[in-house]
Amino acid sequence: MSKYRNLVDYSKVLLFGIYIFVLPISHVTAAQSISLGLFVLLVLLSDCKNFVFKDILAIKNILFIFIGLLILSYFSLLYSVDTAQSFKEANSELLKNIIIMLFVFLYFKSLPEPLLEVYMRLIYISIAVHMLINIYIWHHFGFEFSVNTRMGGLLDGALEQGGGAGERFGIWATFFLAFALSLWYFSDKKFAILALFLALINIVANQTRATYVGVILIFMLLFTVMPKKRVTRALFFIILAISTVSFYKFSDNLSSRYNLTHVNEYMSLLNETPAKMRDYKEHGLDYSIATRLSMWKSALLYRMDEPFIPTGYGRSLYGKSITKLMDEQNRPFVVYSQVHNEFIGVFFSLGIFGLLLFLALWFYYFKMSIVLLRSDESRFKIFGFFSFFGGVGFVASLCFGSFFGDSEAKFFYLLFGMICAITYRKGVVDDKYLRA
């Protein structure tokens, strides 16, 4: 019986590892579904009897947020320009991920601690392997460092001539940076240095502005809360201020993608109608920034007039919806299917109540991560640190892209379920931190 049990446990670990590994790979949705499906099936067959379903009430506030988002998303079908697409996205991006999150919570809450650590390490190892793969891909491009070449691992691929995106792989790179930093504070500093080196190489190779913003936010927050000495904190912000001013002056010699001296021109551009922003070229401004500002302003203009009634859930319906709802002058001069900002996208599709629920979801994610960070055991501190600061990088990327429905969102819900499960396990943290 024990041999059978060990075989089942090894199989679950293997399937979980496969699922985590294939998440940052494009065009492998079938592999994700099969590995996750088999993992869930094995857990149900072998561990369902250990589930205490009333434990879900321990995260009742988070459950209320999920229910609110689901009700609002299905209600929004009444106003959608494409009801079938909205229904499909609500099911795949919300309902399915919420079910998985609750399933993961129940499973990891009842899991023996030795196995729990195995699953946590699988996540770290999987992301580390993808960092090495990305460097290998960069090697084939002669380690070229320019604004025209960006490395996106097996997720975004190698993006030449400035095409494509790359922010999605950047999310995984910032999570790995968070893991490397957690090792520095709570584990082996020598290994942490190697991990930090690997993370920073990938961030440089990734070459996306959203990733750089995420890294800056991570370090700003890190040096705000972690240093025990005020001198260290003050020194960091002095260095940051000097670096910012120096980069501002030097950026005039860089491409429009990184030229900070055009800030005033972008502010002036915001005074124009979304359609009129097509004149960005006359000021030497960047296309991707101008198009984002145009789309964001158009969405916000609509919500200023109608903050409550949803337009229909769906990241890929922004283009159809904004074309129908806004007149020609207040439409973006280039209409993409996605608004390229997850927070504005949720606000546009679900209104102010949807945005508040989405922000509340992130609030609890960070709150649970901090609770875990306060635990007495270093392995849980590392996982809490990894989740919190990796989440900061994720949020930075969501401000420039609509990624909360891709594999990164699947990872978020899985991670959130694990965080909540570990947080509420008996004896992991002091009860006073569990009051929601």
Side-chain angles (χ1 to χ4, degrees):
M1 189 68 179
S2 61
K3 289 184 178 179
Y4 167 77
R5 183 68 197 181
N6 288 337
L7 178 61
V8 171
D9 286 337
Y10 290 145
S11 299
K12 287 184 293 188
V13 168
L14 175 63
L15 290 168
F16 182 87
I18 292 172
Y19 178 67
I20 293 296
F21 181 77
V22 297
L23 279 179
I25 303 177
S26 61
H27 309 302
V28 292
T29 306
Q32 294 175 7
S33 300
I34 292 171
S35 57
L36 178 62
L38 290 174
F39 171 73
V40 170
L41 180 61
L42 273 181
V43 170
L44 289 176
L45 292 174
S46 61
D47 296 277
C48 187
K49 61 182 179 295
N50 298 324
F51 286 7
V52 182
F53 289 94
K54 68 178 182 180
D55 284 349
I56 291 178
L57 296 177
I59 52 171
K60 59 182 181 297
N61 288 356
I62 298 169
L63 190 61
F64 289 150
I65 293 171
F66 286 150
I67 293 171
L69 282 171
L70 284 172
I71 291 174
L72 195 54
S73 298
Y74 289 122
F75 175 71
S76 76
L77 299 180
L78 299 173
Y79 303 91
S80 177
V81 295
D82 190 335
T83 304
Q85 182 64 26
S86 288
F87 185 68
K88 178 183 176 182
E89 291 196 34
N91 288 337
S92 62
E93 297 179 5
L94 273 181
L95 181 60
K96 180 181 176 181
N97 284 331
I98 289 171
I99 291 173
I100 293 300
M101 185 268 185
L102 296 176
F103 173 83
V104 166
F105 170 76
L106 290 172
Y107 175 60
F108 283 97
K109 194 172 185 296
S110 62
L111 198 67
E113 285 198 15
L115 272 177
L116 182 63
E117 189 168 6
V118 170
Y119 283 99
M120 291 190 294
R121 290 187 177 185
L122 270 177
I123 294 174
Y124 307 145
I125 293 170
S126 178
I127 299 177
V129 170
H130 279 286
M131 297 300 108
L132 292 171
I133 291 172
N134 191 48
I135 293 176
Y136 180 75
I137 295 173
W138 196 23
H139 160 72
H140 282 275
F141 287 81
F143 296 110
E144 179 183 350
F145 177 72
S146 73
V147 295
N148 295 320
T149 304
R150 286 173 274 164
M151 298 295 116
L154 298 176
L155 185 61
D156 297 309
L159 309 172
E160 298 180 88
Q161 306 305 319
E167 288 93 346
R168 288 183 62 195
F169 184 80
I171 294 169
W172 297 93
T174 51
F175 265 106
F176 188 72
L177 173 64
F179 169 65
L181 290 168
S182 72
L183 294 179
W184 176 267
Y185 283 101
F186 308 118
S187 187
D188 188 340
K189 283 185 168 53
K190 291 181 181 178
F191 186 65
I193 292 172
L194 291 175
L196 277 169
F197 183 67
L198 180 59
L200 294 175
I201 289 177
N202 275 277
I203 288 164
V204 170
N206 183 241
Q207 192 67 265
T208 55
R209 292 166 295 188
T211 306
Y212 289 148
V213 170
V215 171
I216 293 170
L217 288 178
I218 287 172
F219 278 104
M220 286 181 64
L221 196 55
L222 183 70
F223 279 91
T224 299
V225 299
M226 294 303 290
K228 296 179 180 179
K229 296 182 179 179
R230 292 183 179 180
V231 175
T232 304
R233 191 178 305 162
L235 183 61
F236 167 77
F237 282 101
I238 290 171
I239 294 173
L240 179 64
I242 294 173
S243 301
T244 302
V245 172
S246 301
F247 183 78
Y248 177 84
K249 297 293 185 182
F250 177 74
S251 66
D252 194 33
N253 301 313
L254 302 177
S255 73
S256 58
R257 284 178 55 83
Y258 297 101
N259 195 332
L260 297 183
T261 61
H262 286 161
V263 170
N264 291 333
E265 285 83 352
Y266 284 117
M267 296 301 294
S268 298
L269 191 68
L270 278 172
N271 294 324
E272 305 289 347
T273 64
K276 184 67 174 174
M277 289 185 185
R278 66 170 58 91
D279 298 333
Y280 71 94
K281 288 184 179 179
E282 297 177 6
H283 308 284
L285 303 180
D286 179 65
Y287 171 80
S288 65
I289 296 177
T291 52
R292 280 174 167 82
L293 292 177
S294 176
M295 290 189 291
W296 297 348
K297 182 171 183 178
S298 184
L300 293 174
L301 284 173
Y302 174 76
R303 276 302 169 204
M304 287 175 66
D305 293 330
E306 180 48 78
F308 302 110
I309 303 299
T311 61
Y313 182 84
R315 294 178 304 136
S316 59
L317 291 181
Y318 167 77
K320 290 181 181 180
S321 299
I322 204 70
T323 301
K324 176 184 177 181
L325 295 170
M326 301 299 279
D327 59 52
E328 188 174 347
Q329 282 302 308
N330 286 316
R331 292 176 198 154
F333 68 90
V334 174
V335 179
Y336 286 98
S337 61
Q338 299 179 351
V339 72
H340 287 73
N341 181 305
E342 197 66 51
F343 299 96
I344 293 177
V346 172
F347 185 31
F348 178 73
S349 63
L350 297 180
I352 187 65
F353 295 122
L355 177 61
L356 291 174
L357 286 169
F358 189 58
L359 291 174
L361 182 64
W362 277 101
F363 168 79
Y364 277 102
Y365 171 85
F366 286 120
K367 179 180 180 180
M368 293 296 101
S369 300
I370 291 173
V371 169
L372 202 55
L373 184 54
R374 288 171 169 166
S375 69
D376 297 327
E377 297 186 54
S378 61
R379 55 182 170 175
F380 296 135
K381 284 180 176 290
I382 290 172
F383 197 69
F385 190 103
F386 163 79
S387 303
F388 181 84
F389 286 98
V392 170
F394 194 0
V395 166
S397 289
L398 291 180
C399 291
F400 301 96
S402 302
F403 306 124
F404 209 71
D406 299 313
S407 56
E408 294 72 40
K410 296 176 183 178
F411 182 66
F412 167 86
Y413 283 102
L414 184 145
L415 195 61
F416 198 6
M418 291 182 67
I419 293 167
C420 291
I422 300 170
T423 299
Y424 285 100
R425 287 173 68 95
K426 184 178 180 181
V428 172
V429 291
D430 192 296
D431 287 343
K432 69 180 180 180
Y433 295 125
L434 301 182
R435 302 189 187 106

